[in-house]
Amino acid sequence: MHLQQLAYFVAVAQTRHFTQAADLSGVSQPSLSKQIRVLENSLGTPLFVRDRGGVELTSAGEALLPHAQRILIDVEAAQRAVHEVAGLRRGLVRVGATPSLCDAALADGVARFHQRHPGIDLVVEEGGSRLLAQALVRGRLDVALLIAPLTDSQDDIVTTPVLRERLVLASPVDADVPDSMDVADLRDVPLVMFREGYDLRDVTLMACRRAGFSPRIALEGGEMSAVLRFVETGLGHAVVPSMVLANRPQLRGTPLTNPVLERTVAIAHRDVGSMPLAARAFTEELAEHLAELEQPV
């Protein structure tokens, strides 16, 4: 008795027709019939009554059917379990994040996941939230860490808020700035501005407009690392997430109030059912990591 013979037997039992069962099983009708006969010979009894009106189960066939179905279900479950275990031993996860989140939130999460699952390759892509969402929809990324809410509605992806980041004014550590500042106080402060498409650029410009002024831009067009370096050299100040200053002893962060500036970080992905096991595991562990950084949203 072989698994393939049991699968053919169940197919005939369900369709009550040898030709339909063969089509369903992807084999020729003579091949399927031969395997059914081999199965019957090995059991020593007919499993079907064949006549011109169709095919019916014998009493032996009725007795075998539930056991055969259970065996096939158990084999499929065992194969799936083994494949999932193997999936966490090897595989690929394509991760996207905004540049500021790559440095401040993603790096440690990636390191921790790699330590637990060294056989899984991780590919990280940086970009603005809108571009990352588009990459998810097109299947170029498995999961992304971005800023919510998205400016463009994306019905094909799921976003889960996981962290609220406070934005501060980054200045040289010896700069003469107060302990806190209103957004309106930025009117005469020279700002190092992020490049076009950067979420932080949009947040800063919008906050200044709402306060009734256009910011004084000392330099613009930089990525996160470049902007922080420019601030360290005294070229200006920059509005950044507080977390990016953790390992920057030459910089200080001044809280911005009236209004408080903050942004919501979310994990985004396609429907969970379509995600590879490795991507699901990474998403879960990344969410745990971010929850440890601050209180989740």
Side-chain angles (χ1 to χ4, degrees):
M1 184 185 301
H2 301 290
L3 285 174
Q4 194 61 67
Q5 293 170 349
L6 290 178
Y8 293 159
F9 163 72
V10 170
V12 175
Q14 290 174 338
T15 61
R16 293 297 200 271
H17 198 284
F18 275 80
T19 301
Q20 291 179 11
D23 292 340
L24 185 65
S25 302
V27 297
S28 66
Q29 190 270 331
S31 295
L32 182 140
S33 296
K34 179 181 178 180
Q35 290 302 314
I36 293 295
R37 286 196 300 271
V38 172
L39 177 60
E40 290 176 323
N41 290 337
S42 69
L43 293 173
T45 184
L47 300 173
F48 297 102
V49 175
R50 304 160 175 85
D51 57 36
R52 293 183 178 180
V55 177
E56 295 295 333
L57 286 165
T58 64
S59 57
E62 294 282 2
L64 177 61
L65 181 59
H67 296 287
Q69 290 173 323
R70 173 50 58 189
I71 289 171
L72 294 175
I73 290 172
D74 288 343
V75 168
E76 182 181 357
Q79 290 174 334
R80 186 167 55 249
V82 170
H83 290 162
E84 289 187 343
V85 170
L88 286 180
R89 292 177 181 167
R90 61 183 180 273
L92 172 68
V93 182
R94 300 162 301 170
V95 186
T98 65
S100 61
L101 292 174
C102 275
D103 181 54
L106 184 63
D108 290 341
V110 166
R112 186 164 75 173
F113 183 82
H114 182 69
Q115 185 177 16
R116 293 179 179 177
H117 309 289
I120 296 178
D121 295 326
L122 294 168
V123 177
V124 178
E125 177 180 326
E126 293 187 30
S129 294
R130 183 183 305 172
L131 294 178
L132 294 175
Q134 292 173 355
L136 284 171
V137 171
R138 294 169 182 168
R140 293 195 296 105
L141 292 177
D142 297 307
V143 59
L145 200 58
L146 43 72
I147 306 305
L150 295 170
T151 54
D152 296 330
S153 176
Q154 297 286 357
D155 296 333
D156 296 328
I157 63 175
V158 178
T159 57
T160 304
V162 290
L163 180 70
R164 184 173 286 120
E165 283 188 296
R166 181 76 181 267
L167 302 184
V168 300
L169 183 70
S171 308
V173 69
D174 57 355
D176 183 19
V177 294
D179 293 334
S180 66
M181 299 176 64
D182 290 348
V183 171
D185 296 331
L186 298 179
R187 183 185 301 270
D188 298 318
V189 174
L191 294 179
V192 179
M193 190 62 63
F194 294 94
R195 62 170 172 79
E196 291 282 351
Y198 226 93
D199 298 290
L200 287 168
R201 177 189 180 94
D202 297 336
V203 170
T204 302
L205 292 176
M206 184 176 296
C208 293
R209 291 193 198 101
R210 288 176 175 173
F213 68 95
S214 295
R216 175 185 165 193
I217 298 177
L219 182 69
E220 66 177 312
E223 301 283 347
M224 176 59 71
S225 58
V227 166
L228 294 178
R229 183 60 185 145
F230 292 148
V231 174
E232 287 175 342
T233 60
L235 286 172
H237 309 254
V239 177
V240 301
S242 58
M243 286 192 297
V244 303
L245 303 181
N247 297 313
R248 294 276 182 168
Q250 298 181 56
L251 297 177
R252 59 175 293 190
T254 301
L256 294 170
T257 58
N258 192 28
V260 171
L261 293 188
E262 59 186 13
R263 64 180 190 173
T264 299
V265 177
I267 293 178
H269 53 78
R270 295 185 303 279
D271 179 71
V272 174
S274 65
M275 294 176 68
L277 177 68
R280 294 203 305 269
F282 177 80
T283 301
E284 292 170 0
E285 293 195 23
L286 180 61
E288 292 176 4
H289 168 66
L290 294 175
E292 294 171 1
L293 297 180
E294 288 186 9
Q295 288 297 313
V297 178

XYZ file of all heavy atoms in Angstrom, residues 170-174 192 225-238 244-245 247-252:
211
model
N 17.966 68.800 16.509
C 19.347 68.384 16.701
C 20.266 69.583 16.521
O 20.178 70.315 15.536
C 19.704 67.291 15.701
N 21.166 69.769 17.511
C 22.099 70.889 17.487
C 23.458 70.398 17.957
O 23.553 69.356 18.629
C 21.626 72.011 18.427
O 20.288 72.385 18.164
N 24.537 71.142 17.653
C 25.833 70.793 18.242
C 25.727 70.822 19.762
O 24.966 71.609 20.329
C 26.760 71.894 17.718
C 26.116 72.359 16.454
C 24.635 72.259 16.700
N 26.451 69.932 20.414
C 26.302 69.772 21.857
C 26.590 71.054 22.617
O 26.049 71.289 23.707
C 27.214 68.622 22.350
C 28.687 68.997 22.235
C 26.854 68.204 23.771
N 27.433 71.937 22.061
C 27.775 73.183 22.753
C 26.960 74.381 22.245
O 27.266 75.525 22.567
C 29.270 73.467 22.594
C 29.722 73.550 21.135
O 28.879 73.281 20.242
O 30.896 73.880 20.887
N 19.289 72.474 8.474
C 19.796 71.552 7.466
C 18.602 70.683 7.063
O 18.036 69.975 7.892
C 20.941 70.682 8.024
C 21.430 69.706 6.945
C 22.091 71.563 8.500
N 22.525 60.379 7.639
C 23.901 60.431 8.137
C 24.572 61.741 7.754
O 25.309 62.332 8.551
C 24.707 59.243 7.607
O 24.716 59.230 6.182
N 24.323 62.208 6.523
C 24.928 63.463 6.080
C 24.362 64.647 6.856
O 25.110 65.543 7.269
C 24.711 63.651 4.587
N 23.055 64.658 7.061
C 22.425 65.761 7.798
C 22.996 65.856 9.210
O 23.353 66.940 9.700
C 20.900 65.578 7.834
C 20.270 66.519 8.870
C 20.306 65.851 6.462
N 23.109 64.735 9.895
C 23.643 64.755 11.257
C 25.099 65.232 11.271
O 25.520 65.954 12.183
C 23.527 63.373 11.882
C 22.103 62.873 12.122
C 22.116 61.460 12.695
C 21.336 63.811 13.051
N 25.858 64.811 10.272
C 27.252 65.259 10.199
C 27.330 66.749 9.947
O 28.169 67.456 10.532
C 27.982 64.491 9.090
C 29.461 64.831 8.983
C 30.191 64.515 10.263
N 31.593 64.951 10.177
C 32.265 65.433 11.195
N 31.691 65.561 12.396
N 33.527 65.787 11.040
N 26.463 67.281 9.079
C 26.445 68.719 8.816
C 26.121 69.494 10.093
O 26.684 70.559 10.350
C 25.422 69.051 7.729
C 25.791 68.545 6.366
C 24.806 68.159 5.457
C 27.120 68.450 5.970
C 25.144 67.696 4.199
C 27.461 67.979 4.709
C 26.472 67.599 3.822
N 25.185 68.962 10.878
C 24.835 69.621 12.141
C 26.022 69.588 13.095
O 26.322 70.575 13.777
C 23.599 68.957 12.769
C 23.320 69.549 14.155
C 22.380 69.132 11.870
N 26.719 68.467 13.147
C 27.892 68.360 14.030
C 28.956 69.399 13.683
O 29.633 69.928 14.577
C 28.496 66.964 13.925
C 27.679 65.884 14.611
C 28.252 64.492 14.386
O 29.055 64.318 13.442
O 27.906 63.580 15.164
N 29.102 69.699 12.408
C 30.119 70.673 11.994
C 29.657 72.122 12.146
O 30.428 73.041 11.855
C 30.523 70.439 10.520
O 29.378 70.583 9.684
C 31.121 69.052 10.342
N 28.402 72.319 12.602
C 27.940 73.667 12.872
C 27.287 74.369 11.704
O 27.069 75.595 11.749
N 26.928 73.617 10.656
C 26.302 74.264 9.502
C 24.857 74.663 9.767
O 24.292 75.482 9.033
C 26.354 73.333 8.290
C 27.729 73.178 7.624
C 27.701 72.099 6.558
C 28.164 74.512 7.017
N 24.250 74.094 10.757
C 22.863 74.406 11.068
C 22.287 73.401 12.041
O 23.026 72.631 12.673
N 20.968 73.399 12.169
C 20.253 72.485 13.050
C 19.314 71.648 12.179
O 19.082 71.970 11.016
C 19.456 73.261 14.093
C 20.268 74.281 14.835
N 20.681 74.123 16.132
C 20.745 75.499 14.440
C 21.378 75.175 16.512
N 21.431 76.040 15.496
N 18.746 70.588 12.749
C 17.842 69.744 11.962
C 16.788 69.125 12.860
O 17.059 68.801 14.024
C 18.623 68.643 11.237
N 17.731 58.844 16.789
C 18.941 58.854 15.967
C 20.101 59.540 16.674
O 21.244 59.456 16.223
C 18.691 59.531 14.603
C 17.563 58.852 13.863
C 18.427 61.024 14.757
N 19.839 60.212 17.798
C 20.901 60.906 18.526
C 21.542 60.029 19.591
O 22.467 60.468 20.279
C 20.342 62.179 19.184
C 19.684 63.196 18.235
C 19.205 64.412 19.023
C 20.659 63.613 17.136
N 23.657 57.589 19.634
C 25.100 57.348 19.546
C 25.828 58.528 18.914
O 26.827 58.351 18.216
C 25.355 56.077 18.727
C 24.757 54.847 19.390
O 24.925 54.632 20.593
N 24.060 54.031 18.603
N 25.307 59.712 19.172
C 25.910 60.930 18.630
C 26.263 61.875 19.779
O 25.547 62.842 20.066
C 24.929 61.627 17.684
C 24.619 60.852 16.418
C 25.677 61.110 15.361
N 25.377 60.413 14.124
C 25.997 60.633 12.979
N 26.949 61.547 12.913
N 25.689 59.951 11.897
N 27.393 61.637 20.466
C 27.743 62.459 21.638
C 28.014 63.917 21.290
O 28.000 64.774 22.195
C 29.001 61.773 22.181
C 29.572 61.030 21.016
C 28.393 60.588 20.202
N 28.247 64.223 20.012
C 28.514 65.611 19.635
C 27.242 66.401 19.362
O 27.304 67.588 19.032
C 29.410 65.647 18.393
C 30.784 65.017 18.599
C 31.634 65.106 17.356
O 31.870 66.206 16.827
N 32.086 63.979 16.854
N 26.087 65.728 19.507
C 24.815 66.391 19.256
C 23.929 66.344 20.489
O 24.046 65.453 21.326
C 24.085 65.720 18.080
C 24.764 65.771 16.711
C 23.948 64.996 15.693
C 24.957 67.216 16.261
N 23.048 67.306 20.577
C 22.024 67.318 21.627
C 20.666 67.503 20.969
O 20.554 68.058 19.881
C 22.272 68.446 22.632
C 22.286 69.825 22.011
C 22.406 70.935 23.032
N 21.233 71.026 23.882
C 21.014 72.029 24.715
N 21.905 73.022 24.835
N 19.927 72.065 25.448
